[in-house]
């Protein structure tokens, strides 16, 4: 091992040396960067001062020569104007202005007046053409960057462009020109500038007509932008607009739709995608647009899949218009159908990333979108838009008693299902990235609305199976149910983390449902669940799809029933003489607990479900005396768990008291075999009902039971500083590009810097406002799943004993099943299920003293007493009747005075001890409550007298 010495003289480990060296390198790099930055800033400042003086001088000269020309432009001829001399200094000034000022706008108006008055059919020379193109680009910026356009500048620019030659006009075309044209075509306001607005509109229409005639020479993207802009122009305004593109605007008759479909058939693949992209862009903007044309095109085999392969499509959808306007102009089912068809076709064509981008756009593009969709659904289906937390009844919504089939029967039910299919997908995407402040702060949904949404989805999923309308529906209904259950699971997970719903909300559909919904652990139900992923009956399918609908205690009873069923079926309970299986034997050296266990336990496989006989070898090499009646197995499992789950070993990490597999575990020697062993240890404890004082992180539990999709909030329990950093990026109010984040992450893996691209080409893809939510989700998902090999090894060991299909019914409750409930110890329940030995009975005076002392203990002290005796501080989920072995109190005879009970003699001076392998408390025969309390508290708080054997 490489070591060194710190400044204090303490010997440093290799890891500390590496960490200190990395810190020193980072410090030197930062100092060098600061020096370099200071020099660059000084050089730039000197250059800026020089350029400012030059710009001022050029501006003065230009204004002296042309500033008075505005009154003379009507008589100026071409021979009198040198375009190069006019525009070169002006381009220099405008290009280097820190901002587009009023002075720049005034100069541009003067230059435009001179140019438009002196235009002829003679093309300008090459140098003048370049200056003219640069000047037009500056003018386009001036028009775009102003909140209210300068109408004189806009009109002059559009007129100049309209008079350009064909080649020059094509070279001017681009997003800037189309944005200025769109502004000129906007509905004019009734104000004093109305005549000037009409002139700008006239020039814009003429300009679009000229560009349309030349559109064959435009690049593909500019053709798409032009077509989308032309779709907003009335047919009568520009005769040159193609009938196919113009037909996308306004309500179409059946004859027009037929012509549209015929036109699509005549187009080639590229032109077809172009026209359909233009239609896609226009749809959210054009009032009265019919979706029948899209349905007809899709019905006749010209599906959207060709469009999905077009690189222009995604930008066309997400840049088309503010989503609020689309929702205001169109019925919600129409808008939802449009986006749903596009998403569906993309997924069918394998364009999953593009489909997710559209869903993300709908979820985060506007905070009004999701609430608008929910309120529309609530009104159409007569649902409560909000639900009070204090409500005790009504969580099983009457209008949803028949599930999906009931929704379809409602007037407009088909439209509601269209909106619902899009709504749950967008809501699930939002829940993946929303932090607790956003969720509980009412920024998008009020908590009452979230409760109403959770209740609605929960009722739809439960009642669809309980009332027979779920499993018997068509493929689309089954897909909708699976999607709703996934979204409902997200809501349940967020509620479990920070409550906003009452327990009754999740349980009401089953509790208030038919009698057949009772979770009776019958052999038939056990066989259905033991069947793995088969269909089973409605109750079995609902249990796997939405386990939160059933009370946790009922699911635990069912699990114990499954264990009994499988144990009997496997012959684990029969004696070998009666055809049963022989117990497995393992010999463990206490000094090499994990090494011996890794070698002997994994080969047992499924046999670990049966009886295991453990023999311990002490430090002298001798076999420890004693018979194994179950206690040694419990001790062995507890010792393995204590050693393996220790974060110092490197297999697991701990954050906020919760454990999860470390990302470096797979790189440790014997790391993966050790994780396999620990998974089998946990499985054996679950199978035998042995409590382990272990708590796993909720997101890690989800990985163990087969759930997918990590959320940003899950990252909080993994790395708080990383979570806060991502939160600051997500909520950044400035230009996200200025943060210089890219779709890749760097990690220090045992002294090596490892880079991971979050998407293909992620090292070159910068994070922007449009994709920041996707970036945040991908970073969180990467960190929470980067220990995939270690998790897989642990999960393999766990499933070798307990099937994954069984564990799915617990979802976020696996730690409670393994370690017990978080509720306070019920002293009456513990007393009623305690057995006595060594001369103690329930009526013994010492036993009565013990229970009177325990009743007065605090909640924390009761937990410590339970941990002292059973090694777990939490009581069993099903109460102490299910504790195996049962809680036992054994008498320890000590010399005491007969007068000790009245305080006149000597009381027992020994401390209580415990044998955790048998859940046995060895209690001296104390005579007074005071001695009992003092000795008991000292023992449980200090661990004195703790015995494992």
């Amino acid at each position: 091992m490489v070591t060194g010495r710190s400044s204090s003289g303490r010997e440093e480990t290799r890891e500390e040396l590496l960490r200190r060296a990395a810190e020193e390198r980072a410090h030197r790099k930062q100092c060098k960067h600061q020096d370099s930055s200071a020099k660059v800033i000084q050089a730039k400042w000197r250059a800026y001062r020089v350029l400012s003086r030059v710009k001022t001088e050029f501006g003065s000269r230009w204004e002296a020569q042309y500033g008075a020309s505005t009154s003379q432009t009507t008589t100026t001829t071409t021979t009198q104007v040198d375009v190069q001399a006019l525009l070169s200094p002006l381009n220099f000034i405008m290009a280097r202005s820190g901002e587009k000022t009023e002075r720049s706008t005034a100069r541009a108006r003067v230059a435009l007046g001179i140019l438009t008055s002196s235009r002829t059919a003679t093309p300008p020379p090459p140098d003048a053409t370049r200056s003219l193109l640069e000047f037009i680009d500056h003018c386009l910026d001036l028009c775009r960057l102003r909140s209210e356009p300068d109408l004189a500048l806009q009109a002059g620019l559009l007129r100049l462009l309209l008079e350009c030659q064909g080649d020059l006009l094509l070279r001017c075309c681009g997003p800037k020109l189309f944005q200025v044209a769109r502004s000129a075509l906007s509905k004019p306001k009734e104000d004093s500038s109305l005549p000037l607005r009409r002139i700008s509109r006239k020039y814009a229409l003429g300009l679009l007509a000229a560009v349309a005639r030349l559109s064959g020479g435009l690049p593909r993207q500019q053709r798409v932008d032009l077509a989308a802009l032309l779709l907003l122009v009335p047919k009568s305004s520009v005769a040159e607009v193609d009938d196919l593109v113009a037909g996308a605007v306004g309500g179409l008759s059946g004859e027009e739709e037929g012509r549209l479909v015929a036109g699509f058939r005549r187009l080639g693949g590229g032109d077809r995608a172009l026209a359909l992209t233009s239609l896609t862009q226009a749809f959210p903007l054009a009032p009265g647009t019919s979706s029948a044309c899209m349905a007809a095109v899709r019905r006749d085999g010209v599906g959207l899949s060709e469009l999905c392969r077009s690189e222009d499509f995604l930008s066309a959808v997400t840049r088309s218009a503010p989503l609020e306007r689309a929702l205001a102009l169109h019925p919600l089912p129409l808008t939802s159908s449009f986006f749903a068809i596009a998403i569906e076709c993309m997924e069918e064509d394998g364009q999953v990333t593009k489909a997710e981008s559209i869903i993300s756009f709908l979820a985060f593009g506007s905070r009004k979108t999701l609430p608008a969709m929910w309120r529309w659904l609530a009104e159409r289906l007569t649902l409560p838009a909000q639900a009070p937390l204090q409500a005790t009844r009504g969580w099983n919504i009457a209008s949803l008693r028949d599930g999906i089939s009931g929704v379809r029967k409602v007037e407009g039910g088909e439209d509601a299902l269209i909106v619902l299919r899009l709504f749950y997908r967008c809501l699930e995407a939002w829940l993946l990235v929303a932090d607790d402040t956003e969720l509980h702060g009412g920024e998008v949904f009020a908590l009452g609305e979230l409760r109403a949404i959770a209740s609605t989805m929960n009722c739809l999923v439960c009642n669809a199976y309980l009332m027979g309308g779920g499993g018997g529906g068509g493929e689309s209904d089954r897909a909708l149910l699976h999607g709703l259950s996934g979204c409902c699971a997200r809501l349940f997970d967020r509620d479990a983390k920070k409550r906003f719903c009452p327990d009754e909300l999740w349980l009401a559909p089953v509790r208030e449902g038919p009698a057949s919904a009772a979770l009776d652990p019958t052999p038939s139900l056990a066989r259905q669940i033991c069947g793995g992923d088969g269909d089973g009956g409605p109750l079995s399918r609902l249990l796997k799809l939405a386990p939160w609908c059933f009370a946790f205690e009922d699911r635990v009873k069912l699990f114990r029933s499954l264990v009994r069923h499988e144990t009997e079926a496997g012959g684990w309970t029969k004696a070998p003489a009666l055809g049963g299986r022989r117990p497995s034997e393992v010999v463990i050296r206490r000094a090499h607990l994990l090494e011996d266990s890794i070698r002997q336990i994994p080969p047992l496989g499924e046999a670990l479900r049966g009886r295991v006989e453990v023999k311990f070898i002490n430090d002298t090499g001798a076999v420890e005396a004693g018979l194994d009646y179950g206690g040694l197995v419990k001790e062995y499992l507890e010792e393995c768990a204590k050693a393996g789950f220790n974060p110092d070993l490197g297999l697991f990490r701990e954050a906020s008291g919760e454990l999860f597999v470390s990302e470096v575990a797979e790189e440790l020697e014997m790391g993966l075999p050790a994780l396999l062993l620990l998974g089998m240890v946990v499985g054996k404890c679950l199978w035998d009902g042995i409590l382990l004082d272990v708590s796993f992180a909720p997101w890690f539990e989800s990985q163990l039971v087969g759930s997918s999709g990590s959320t940003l909030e899950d990252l909080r329990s993994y790395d708080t500083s990383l979570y806060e950093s991502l939160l600051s990026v997500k909520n950044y109010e400035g230009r996200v590009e200025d943060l210089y984040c890219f779709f890749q992450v760097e990690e220090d893996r045992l002294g090596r810097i490892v880079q991971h691209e979050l998407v293909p080409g992620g090292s070159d893809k910068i994070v922007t406002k449009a994709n920041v939510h996707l970036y945040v989700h991908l970073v969180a998902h990467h960190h929470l799943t980067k220990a995939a090999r270690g998790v897989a090894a642990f999960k393999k060991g766990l499933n070798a004993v307990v099937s994954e299909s069984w564990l799915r019914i617990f979802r976020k409750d696996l730690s409670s099943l393994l370690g017990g409930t978080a509720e306070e110890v019920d002293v009456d329940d513990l007393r009623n299920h305690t057995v006595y030995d060594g001369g103690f009975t329930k009526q013994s005076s010492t036993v009565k003293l013990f229970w009177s002392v325990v009743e007065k203990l605090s909640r924390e002290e009761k937990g410590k007493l339970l941990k002292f005796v059973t090694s777990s501080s939490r009581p069993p989920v099903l109460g102490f009747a299910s504790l195996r072995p049962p809680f036992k109190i054994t008498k320890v005879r000590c010399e005491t005075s007969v007068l000790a009970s009245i305080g006149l003699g000597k009381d027992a001076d020994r401390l209580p001890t415990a044998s955790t392998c048998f859940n046995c408390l060895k209690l001296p025969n104390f005579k007074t409550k005071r001695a009992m309390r003092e000795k008991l508290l000292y023992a449980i708080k200090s661990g004195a007298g703790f015995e494992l054997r």
Side-chain angles (χ1 to χ4, degrees), residues 302-318:
V302 196
L304 287 175
S305 59
E306 289 190 41
L307 174 62
C308 296
R309 286 190 287 270
S310 170
E311 290 299 322
D312 305 321
F313 178 75
L314 188 60
S315 60
V317 173
T318 56

Side-chain angles (χ1 to χ4, degrees), residues 55 98-100 114 158 199 256 296 318 322 452 479 490 533 662 727 809 858 864 900:
K55 184 189 73 172
E99 57 182 351
K100 305 303 181 183
I114 297 173
L158 292 172
I199 293 174
E256 289 171 329
T318 56
R490 298 282 179 217
D533 293 327
S662 171
L727 207 59
I809 68 177
S858 66
K864 288 183 177 181

Side-chain angles (χ1 to χ4, degrees), residues 324-558:
E324 298 94 324
R325 184 177 178 187
L327 294 173
L329 289 175
H330 300 289
L332 189 58
L334 188 63
T335 307
S336 300
S337 178
F338 165 75
F339 283 109
I341 289 173
I343 292 169
E344 177 187 348
C345 290
M346 282 184 170
E347 292 177 334
E348 289 176 356
D349 202 45
Q351 305 288 331
V352 178
T353 303
K354 290 184 178 180
E356 290 177 347
S357 297
I358 295 180
I359 294 172
S360 179
F361 166 69
L362 294 173
F364 301 103
S366 170
R367 290 183 175 178
K368 297 180 181 179
T369 305
L370 286 175
M373 296 173 75
W374 164 245
R375 288 159 194 159
W376 185 92
L377 282 169
E379 181 180 357
R380 181 58 57 93
L381 299 178
T382 62
L383 302 172
Q386 296 200 37
L389 179 63
Q390 298 79 13
T392 57
R393 299 183 59 187
W395 295 115
N396 189 15
I397 302 172
S399 59
L400 303 177
R401 289 288 170 85
D402 293 331
I404 302 295
S405 60
V407 173
R408 186 169 280 110
K409 296 174 184 176
V410 177
E411 183 179 355
E414 291 294 344
D415 286 345
L417 291 177
I418 290 173
V419 177
L420 184 61
R421 284 187 175 91
L422 186 63
F423 173 70
Y424 86 75
R425 297 200 64 175
C426 297
L427 179 63
E428 188 170 7
W430 179 73
L431 289 170
L432 286 174
V433 183
D435 56 272
D436 278 348
T437 302
E438 191 175 358
L439 187 75
H440 291 263
E443 296 182 12
V444 178
F445 288 106
L447 288 180
E449 289 179 313
L450 285 175
R451 282 190 288 271
I453 293 170
S455 180
T456 297
M457 291 188 175
N458 193 50
C459 288
L460 276 174
V461 173
C462 293
N463 292 330
Y465 285 100
L466 298 181
M467 302 301 176
E475 184 65 30
S476 62
D477 283 1
R478 286 194 290 271
L480 177 58
L481 277 178
H482 278 279
L484 287 173
S485 67
C487 186
C488 200
R490 298 282 179 217
L491 285 166
F492 176 77
D493 292 345
R494 298 303 296 268
D495 179 50
K497 186 175 181 65
K498 188 174 181 180
R499 301 305 301 269
F500 59 88
C501 295
D503 290 337
E504 188 60 28
L505 182 151
W506 305 106
L507 303 175
V510 170
R511 287 183 175 177
E512 300 176 15
S516 59
L519 196 60
D520 186 14
T522 60
S524 173
L525 181 59
R527 282 192 297 272
Q528 291 176 12
I529 298 177
C530 288
D533 293 327
D535 285 340
L539 200 60
S540 172
R541 294 200 299 271
L542 177 60
L543 188 61
K544 296 174 183 177
L545 197 64
W548 55 81
C549 298
F550 302 89
F552 177 55
E553 292 77 8
D554 293 339
R555 284 180 279 143
V556 175
K557 292 177 182 177
L558 176 63

Side-chain angles (χ1 to χ4, degrees), residues 148-412:
E148 286 293 331
D150 186 298
L151 297 178
L153 175 65
Q154 186 183 78
L157 176 61
L158 292 172
R159 179 186 172 187
L160 176 64
L161 288 166
L162 183 58
E163 295 173 356
C164 286
Q165 301 294 327
D167 179 64
L168 185 59
L169 179 58
L170 287 179
R171 292 165 70 182
C172 295
C173 284
K176 295 179 182 178
L177 183 148
F178 294 139
Q179 187 171 344
V180 173
R182 184 188 296 273
S183 173
L185 291 173
S186 62
K187 185 177 179 180
K189 299 179 180 179
E190 298 296 335
D191 55 20
S192 58
S193 62
L194 184 58
L196 197 53
R197 286 184 178 274
R198 287 175 177 169
I199 293 174
S200 293
R201 181 177 177 82
K202 174 184 175 182
Y203 287 148
L205 291 174
L207 176 62
L208 290 178
V211 176
R213 286 192 295 269
L214 303 169
S215 61
L218 287 175
R220 179 178 180 81
Q221 181 59 52
Q222 293 180 18
R223 290 171 61 202
V224 172
D225 293 339
L226 172 64
L229 187 56
L230 289 173
L231 282 168
L232 305 180
V233 180
K235 298 179 190 178
S236 59
S237 300
V238 183
E240 291 81 6
V241 177
D242 185 86
D243 290 340
L244 176 65
V245 181
V249 179
L252 298 180
S253 64
E255 182 180 353
E256 289 171 329
E257 290 175 4
R259 289 202 307 270
L260 179 63
V261 174
F264 265 105
R265 287 173 174 164
R266 289 194 299 270
L267 291 173
D271 291 333
R272 185 181 301 161
L274 168 65
L276 202 49
T277 301
S278 302
L279 173 63
T280 303
Q281 283 186 305
F283 177 81
L285 288 174
T289 301
S290 171
S291 63
C293 57
M294 293 186 66
V297 169
R298 191 162 184 264
R299 184 172 59 248
D300 284 26
V302 196
L304 287 175
S305 59
E306 289 190 41
L307 174 62
C308 296
R309 286 190 287 270
S310 170
E311 290 299 322
D312 305 321
F313 178 75
L314 188 60
S315 60
V317 173
T318 56
R319 292 189 308 156
S320 57
L323 201 56
E324 298 94 324
R325 184 177 178 187
L327 294 173
L329 289 175
H330 300 289
L332 189 58
L334 188 63
T335 307
S336 300
S337 178
F338 165 75
F339 283 109
I341 289 173
I343 292 169
E344 177 187 348
C345 290
M346 282 184 170
E347 292 177 334
E348 289 176 356
D349 202 45
Q351 305 288 331
V352 178
T353 303
K354 290 184 178 180
E356 290 177 347
S357 297
I358 295 180
I359 294 172
S360 179
F361 166 69
L362 294 173
F364 301 103
S366 170
R367 290 183 175 178
K368 297 180 181 179
T369 305
L370 286 175
M373 296 173 75
W374 164 245
R375 288 159 194 159
W376 185 92
L377 282 169
E379 181 180 357
R380 181 58 57 93
L381 299 178
T382 62
L383 302 172
Q386 296 200 37
L389 179 63
Q390 298 79 13
T392 57
R393 299 183 59 187
W395 295 115
N396 189 15
I397 302 172
S399 59
L400 303 177
R401 289 288 170 85
D402 293 331
I404 302 295
S405 60
V407 173
R408 186 169 280 110
K409 296 174 184 176
V410 177
E411 183 179 355

Side-chain angles (χ1 to χ4, degrees), residues 541-589:
R541 294 200 299 271
L542 177 60
L543 188 61
K544 296 174 183 177
L545 197 64
W548 55 81
C549 298
F550 302 89
F552 177 55
E553 292 77 8
D554 293 339
R555 284 180 279 143
V556 175
K557 292 177 182 177
L558 176 63
F559 177 76
R560 300 316 312 170
S561 174
L562 291 173
V563 171
R564 287 194 298 271
H565 173 273
E566 196 67 10
T567 301
E568 293 171 0
W572 305 109
T573 57
K574 293 182 180 179
L578 300 178
R581 305 192 188 190
R582 296 186 61 83
S584 303
E585 295 184 1
V586 293
V587 180
I588 304 296
R589 293 173 296 170

